[in-house]
Amino acid sequence: VAAIRAIWKASMEVHGAADPTFTRAPEGSVAFVAFLGEQIAAAADGRAAVVVAERSGEVAGYGICVRRHRSPYVAAADYALVTDLDVA
């Protein structure tokens, strides 16, 4: 979790500098770690996936994908949403 958080923070700094929309909130890191924990727990029953890329034994990137449900009037009710994808 700490390594993913560090990559997320670095990514937010880059993106926030390029577009103020992505400026990290004062408690953004706390909220991200909580979100990450929720997705790791949700992965146990297939509601999410959290993957990690390694380089030389170190975490080099991560991805988070969550399962979402569309309205019942749409035939394909389930879909996957990539919420985060960062590579250091």
Side-chain angles (χ1 to χ4, degrees):
V1 171
I4 292 174
R5 179 181 167 266
I7 293 169
W8 175 84
K9 284 179 75 173
S11 176
M12 291 300 290
E13 294 301 322
V14 169
H15 287 89
D19 181 348
T21 302
F22 296 102
T23 300
R24 186 167 39 102
E27 296 298 316
S29 183
V30 173
F32 175 75
V33 169
F35 170 75
L36 176 60
E38 291 167 4
Q39 301 321 306
I40 291 170
D45 66 3
R47 292 179 293 126
V50 178
V51 295
V52 174
E54 292 185 9
R55 181 185 321 123
S56 302
E58 300 290 324
V59 175
Y62 71 94
I64 302 173
C65 183
V66 298
R67 181 188 291 173
R68 298 282 192 217
H69 303 284
R70 288 193 173 103
S71 299
Y73 56 80
V74 178
D78 289 347
Y79 66 98
L81 172 67
V82 176
T83 62
D84 292 78
L85 183 60
D86 278 306
V87 178

